Amino acid sequence: MSRRLVEGSEAIAHAMVGAGCRFFAGYPMTPFTEILERMAELLPPAGGVCMNAESELEAIGMAWGAAATGARAATGSTGQGLALMQESISELCTARIPLVVIDMGRGQGDYFQATRGGGHGDYRTPVLAPSTVAEAVDLVPVAFDLADEWRNPVLLYGDYYLGHTSQAVELAAAAPASVDKPWALDGSTGGSGRAKLLSPLGAAKQRDGVGYDLAEHLERAGVATREMATGIEPMVDRGYCDDADLVVVAFGTIGRFVRWVVKELRAEGHRVGYVRPITLFPFPAEAVAAAATGARGVAVYENNLGQMVDDVRLAVLGACPVEFIGGLSMDSSGFGVGPEIDAPKIRARILDHLEAMA
Amino acid sequence: MTEHEHEEIEHERIEHRVVLRTDVAPDDATLVDDFTPELVDVGAHHLCPGCGEPIAIRSAVESIAELGAIERTISVFGIGCYTAFSNNLDVEVLQALHGRAPSLATGVKRMRPDALVLTVQGDGDMVNEGLQEVLHAAARGERITCVLLNNGVFGETGGHITSTTVLGQRTKNTLDGRDAERDGHPILISDLVASMGGAAYVARGAVNDAGNVARTRRMLTAAFECQERGDGFSFVEILTMCPTGWFVDTHDAPDYLADVIAGTHQVGVVKDTRGEAAS
C-alpha cells in the first residue's frame, strides 16, 4: 500500500490492477480516455494485456472473450460508447459471464442507461456510483467481487469530475485474483464428451438428441437475476435524516456537493438531511423510505431532467411528495461540467424547496 | 414404348420401392455413430437437407483432431444456421453476437495463447454485420483462425441478400437477381482480408464435391498450423450450399454453387506466407 496524490482515472486504473484485473480493452472517449491510458501503462508490467480496440463494440467483445477464459477483465467508455456496448452487456448477463464496465458518464444524464440498460431481454446490472476518488478506489474491488460472485457484468458509474479530481489515496499493489471459476473456458474439456459451452442460449451441450432448452435456461437466468437483485446489500451514505423536514437525495459527484450543502444548512438550523445511494442497482429503497419517514418532502438533485426521481418515488411509495430540484448541467464542452454543479445554486434550490413546502 | 410397357416399368419401380422396408434396418446398415466424427455429438442439428455447413464444420473438427489439438481448442461461434452446432460439438464453444466473433476470439487468445482458437461465422454475420471486426483482426495479425461459411444468403432468416450474394443471384429480397445498379456489388472477403498486413494465410474452399471437400480440409489444416506457428492471422472461407435459401433443388445445389457462386468467389489459396517465412 502506498499513499499518493493521484487523479481519479489513475487511481481507478491502479485499483483495477490491484483487484486482479488482467485484461482491459477500450476505445478513447472523454472522460473515459485517461483510464485507458493508465491501463495501457499499468497492465503490461503486471502481466496483463491492454488492448486498444478499434471501437467500443470490439472493446467489449475482447473483454468478453478474456472474461470467458476466467480472467478478471474490464472495459469501459462514456455514455455514447456505452450505448454501443449495451447489446453485449445484455448477452453477457444471459450467458452469465462476469465483467467490470467503467462507465465514465458525461454529467448524470445516463442514469437510465446505467441502471436499466438498453440491451435486449430480461437482465439487470449492478451499478456502483462513487462520489470521491477514495470511494472509487474502494469500490473497484467490490465491483470485481460482485461480478465474480453473481457471474454478471457490474458497472462503476463515474463522471468527468471523478476522473479529473486529484486526491490522496491508498493504492494497493498489483495482486493476483484467486477466484475459482469452474465454468471458464481453457479448451481442456474438448473430447471429453462434455466440452464446455458459454452461451446466452444456455450452457447445456446436446445430449441424447436433446438440444437447447431455451425456456429452461432463461428461467434459470431469471432466477439468478432475481437472487442477485435481492442478494446484494444496497450501499448508501446518509446523514441528518432522523428529524429532517426535507430529505435531499443525490448520487455520485453531485451527492458529495449536496452532502456539503446539507451540512452547512444544518449548522444554520435548517431541518434537512441527505441520502446518497452508492449502489444505484440494487437501489437502496429501504434506506430512502426510512429517511423519508417523518419528513414532509423529498427532493432529488441530479444533473439531468429527473431520472433517479422514478426510483426515489418507488422507494417512498407516496409517503410524502418527491420532487425533482436538479437540472441539466452542460456547458459548451458537453462533458457535464456546468452551472448546476455549484454549491450556492444547490443551496438556493434546497432553500426554495423548503420555503415552498412551508 | 407402348403404354402397356410403360405401365409395367412404373409398376416395377414401385415394386422396387416397397421392397425397401423401413420398419427394420437392412442387414448391412451401420449406425449413424459409425460415421459421425469424433467431435460431433450425434443428435438433431436442425439444418436443412443439402446444407453444406455440416460438411464444413466436420472438416474443421477433423482437422483439429488430426493436429491433436482437441484438448486445447476454444471455438467462438457467430449467429446463423451453424449456431445449431455450438451445442453439439465436443470442443469448447463461446457463443458470440452477430459479427463479434473475431473480437471475442482476440480476448480468448490473448489470455490463453496456447489454445487453438477458431471462429465460425456466416457471410451475413461476418461480412455484413462484422466486416470491420475480421479486417481489424487480420490487420492486427491476431493469432486466430477465422472460418467463414459463405452461402451468399441469410440462410437462417430465410434466404435474403448478403454482402457476398453474387450478381444475378436470386434471393428473397432480390427476386429478379442481385442487380449492381440497385443492390451494389458482392464483397470478395478473402481478397480483402488477404490485403491486410497481418494476414498470413488466406484461402477459399468449397464443399460442393469430394475434391473440394478434401482441398478445404487441407486449407483448414494449413490455417491452424499457421496459427500454431504464430505466423499471424489465418482465414478460410468455405463456400457452402443453401438449397433452401437459394430456392434450388437439393440435388442441384452443388452445381449451382460451382456455376453461380464460385464464378465470383473463386476457390483457391489467396495468400500463403509460409514460403516467405522459410526464405
Side-chain angles (χ1 to χ4, degrees):
Chain A
M1 291 287 245
S2 64
R3 193 167 178 82
R4 280 181 51 205
L5 180 69
V6 285
E7 262 206 343
S9 297
E10 186 175 355
I12 290 171
H14 265 286
M16 283 199 277
V17 178
C21 177
R22 288 299 174 269
F23 187 93
F24 192 83
Y27 179 83
M29 193 187 279
T30 307
F32 162 77
T33 311
E34 288 84 355
I35 290 177
L36 174 60
E37 289 172 4
R38 294 286 88 80
M39 289 305 274
E41 184 183 314
L42 298 173
L43 255 187
V49 174
C50 182
M51 297 288 294
N52 298 300
E54 291 81 7
S55 72
E56 289 84 354
L57 296 171
E58 284 159 297
I60 194 165
M62 290 171 181
W64 176 346
T69 68
R72 277 196 158 176
T75 183
S77 188
T78 187
Q80 288 87 332
L82 251 289
L84 298 174
M85 294 181 172
Q86 295 291 340
E87 188 187 25
S88 292
I89 290 173
S90 72
E91 292 271 309
L92 282 152
C93 290
T94 322
R96 305 203 60 211
I97 299 174
L99 185 71
V100 169
V101 180
I102 306 294
D103 176 6
M104 298 302 274
R106 297 179 177 181
Q108 296 193 315
D110 304 330
Y111 180 89
F112 283 148
Q113 184 192 47
T115 59
R116 269 63 170 176
H120 52 288
D122 282 328
Y123 75 100
R124 295 308 300 251
T125 45
V127 183
L128 309 176
S131 72
T132 66
V133 177
E135 192 176 48
V137 167
D138 290 344
L139 289 178
V140 163
V142 173
F144 279 101
D145 289 346
L146 287 175
D148 283 342
E149 183 182 354
W150 299 98
R151 289 181 59 181
N152 205 84
V154 172
L155 263 64
L156 187 87
Y157 185 18
D159 59 19
Y160 190 92
Y161 260 84
L162 188 75
H164 293 119
T165 300
S166 291
Q167 195 179 341
V169 291
E170 296 284 347
L171 296 176
S178 54
V179 185
D180 189 29
K181 297 181 181 177
W183 50 264
L185 305 182
D186 62 4
S188 67
T189 60
S192 66
R194 305 197 68 82
K196 286 174 186 168
L197 168 66
L198 267 185
S199 166
L201 303 173
K205 285 276 193 172
Q206 179 163 281
R207 302 278 177 257
D208 307 322
V210 181
Y212 292 119
D213 189 338
L214 191 54
E216 193 190 322
H217 172 69
L218 292 180
E219 175 62 31
R220 274 204 305 270
V223 168
T225 303
R226 284 193 295 275
E227 283 176 351
M228 177 182 76
T230 53
I232 297 175
E233 187 70 32
M235 286 183 263
V236 68
D237 166 24
R238 61 186 153 173
Y240 315 108
C241 289
D242 292 349
D243 62 342
D245 285 336
L246 175 67
V247 171
V248 188
V249 186
F251 74 95
T253 294
I254 310 308
R256 191 181 179 188
F257 279 67
V258 164
R259 181 173 56 193
W260 190 83
V261 169
V262 165
K263 192 178 170 188
E264 199 178 59
L265 291 173
R266 267 286 167 176
E268 295 165 20
H270 298 284
R271 284 156 58 116
V272 291
Y274 75 90
V275 179
R276 180 174 64 86
I278 297 171
T279 50
L280 300 182
F281 180 84
F283 193 76
E286 281 181 25
V288 171
T293 305
R296 287 190 289 124
V298 173
V300 181
Y301 197 100
E302 48 181 338
N303 284 154
N304 53 39
L305 296 178
Q307 298 185 15
M308 189 173 62
V309 177
D310 291 14
D311 283 329
V312 176
R313 285 193 176 135
L314 279 171
V316 172
L317 284 175
C320 67
V322 175
E323 301 297 336
F324 173 65
I325 61 164
L328 274 180
S329 197
M330 283 290 169
D331 66 353
S332 56
S333 73
F335 297 137
V337 187
E340 304 297 317
I341 310 176
D342 181 15
K345 181 159 258 175
I346 294 171
R347 180 190 164 87
R349 292 267 175 87
I350 294 173
L351 284 172
D352 283 354
H353 197 66
L354 266 175
E355 201 172 309
M357 286 194 328
Chain B
M1 192 188 289
T2 67
E3 200 173 311
H4 176 71
E5 280 169 341
H6 183 77
E7 275 179 11
E8 207 160 60
I9 289 166
E10 277 298 298
H11 183 69
E12 275 175 15
R13 276 188 182 168
I14 292 162
E15 283 291 303
H16 182 68
R17 267 192 206 163
V18 296
V19 165
L20 289 174
R21 294 175 57 196
T22 54
D23 54 342
V24 288
D27 292 340
D28 58 349
T30 52
L31 287 171
V32 69
D33 302 54
D34 297 342
F35 55 93
T36 299
E38 194 181 0
L39 299 175
V40 178
D41 285 348
V42 179
H45 55 54
H46 313 298
L47 299 186
C48 309
C51 174
E53 292 184 348
I55 312 171
I57 291 170
R58 176 182 174 152
S59 300
V61 290
E62 280 180 352
S63 178
I64 289 163
E66 189 179 278
L67 291 167
I70 297 169
E71 289 173 20
R72 54 186 181 84
T73 291
I74 302 176
S75 53
V76 184
F77 270 63
I79 308 279
C81 301
Y82 53 90
T83 308
F85 271 91
S86 64
N87 71 336
N88 63 358
L89 276 194
D90 198 15
V91 292
E92 293 187 2
V93 176
L94 177 61
Q95 182 63 52
L97 274 164
H98 334 71
R100 312 280 150 243
S103 59
L104 270 68
T106 297
V108 170
K109 185 71 177 185
R110 296 283 180 137
M111 288 291 101
R112 298 224 178 264
D114 295 335
L116 182 72
V117 179
L118 73 144
T119 66
V120 179
Q121 295 177 272
D123 44 309
D125 184 303
M126 177 189 280
V127 190
N128 284 57
E129 188 85 12
L131 179 62
Q132 83 159 32
E133 293 235 348
V134 69
L135 294 181
H136 285 303
R140 287 197 304 271
E142 209 64 58
R143 284 152 176 73
I144 58 175
T145 303
C146 289
V147 177
L148 165 64
L149 308 179
N150 184 4
N151 58 21
V153 287
F154 281 100
E156 194 180 31
T157 47
H160 308 93
I161 183 174
T162 72
S163 299
T164 68
T165 301
V166 303
L167 292 178
Q169 190 180 341
R170 287 179 66 243
T171 72
K172 224 175 207 171
N173 43 353
T174 57
L175 290 172
D176 51 352
R178 181 176 192 157
D179 172 48
E181 194 75 14
R182 183 190 59 206
D183 309 309
H185 293 265
I187 291 175
L188 306 184
I189 185 68
S190 282
D191 305 80
L192 200 52
V193 168
S195 71
M196 300 294 143
Y201 181 84
V202 180
R204 187 186 286 115
V207 290
N208 61 322
D209 60 41
N212 272 337
V213 171
R215 210 169 163 195
T216 301
R217 268 272 272 120
R218 288 197 294 274
M219 289 169 172
L220 285 161
T221 302
F224 293 141
E225 283 173 347
C226 169
Q227 179 185 161
E228 301 273 61
R229 282 193 305 272
D231 289 351
F233 182 79
S234 51
F235 184 81
V236 183
E237 174 180 353
I238 306 173
L239 305 179
T240 60
M241 294 79 73
C242 181
T244 309
W246 293 345
F247 308 102
V248 303
D249 284 343
T250 304
H251 62 268
D252 290 338
D255 287 342
Y256 182 88
L257 188 155
D259 299 342
V260 178
I261 312 284
T264 300
H265 302 284
Q266 291 181 10
V267 173
V269 175
V270 185
K271 185 179 189 180
D272 188 351
T273 58
R274 282 178 294 178
E276 294 169 27
S279 61

